[in-house]
Amino acid sequence: MSLGDVAGLIAAIAFVVLVGFLIYPLIRLGKLFDQLSQTVKETGDHAFPALDEGTETVRKINQSLDDVNDVSDALSTTANNVSSLTDLYGSMLGKPAIKVASTLWAVRQTVGDFFKGFGRGGKKVVESTATPAAAKPAAEKPASKPAAAAASASTKAGK
């Protein structure tokens, strides 16, 4: 045996020892890959029903939103109809009611003013709007004749 043969033998023994040490981690790695493939398979088996349930949930939510949209559309239509009806009643009943009320008020005022002037015996009582000079205080007496004439003219115009 030569020195090269001894070196080859040592290298072969070292390789066998190295393979012996690496067999255990390789077996463990194989088991890890088996578990990993099992986990992926189970996850896929559970993922599809979960996706189906999620799709069904989204479908139900969309249906509920469609129902809410229908209700809000109906509510909007109802509000528009009530507004139109209110405008219609206001234009058809409001304006004539205002005219009737104003006419009744004018008649009431006229009748009231007509009967206000009569006393108890049915005789008309004339009230004077001019204030007697004796009842006026001294400060209110006109200082000049043109001012007094203007004041008496304004009281006559008011009758």
Side-chain angles (χ1 to χ4, degrees), residues 113 115-119 123-131 155 158-159:
D113 288 345
F115 286 116
K116 186 168 77 171
F118 288 102
K123 296 180 183 175
K124 186 163 180 149
V125 178
V126 179
E127 294 179 10
S128 173
T129 57
T131 326
T155 57
K159 286 185 179 179

Side-chain angles (χ1 to χ4, degrees), residues 37-57:
S37 66
Q38 181 75 19
T39 303
V40 168
K41 182 182 179 290
E42 289 175 2
T43 302
D45 291 344
H46 294 304
F48 290 121
L51 286 174
D52 291 340
E53 288 177 17
T55 303
E56 185 65 27
T57 302

Side-chain angles (χ1 to χ4, degrees), residues 3 9-10 16 21-23 25 63 76-77 144:
L3 191 59
L9 187 61
I10 292 176
V16 169
F21 279 120
L22 289 179
I23 284 182
Q63 179 64 37
S76 174
T77 302
S144 65

Side-chain angles (χ1 to χ4, degrees), residues 8-9 13 54 56 65 69 78 94 97 99 113 117 119 130 139 141-142 157:
L9 187 61
I13 292 173
E56 185 65 27
L65 288 176
N69 286 340
T78 303
K99 288 180 180 181
D113 288 345
K141 289 187 179 178

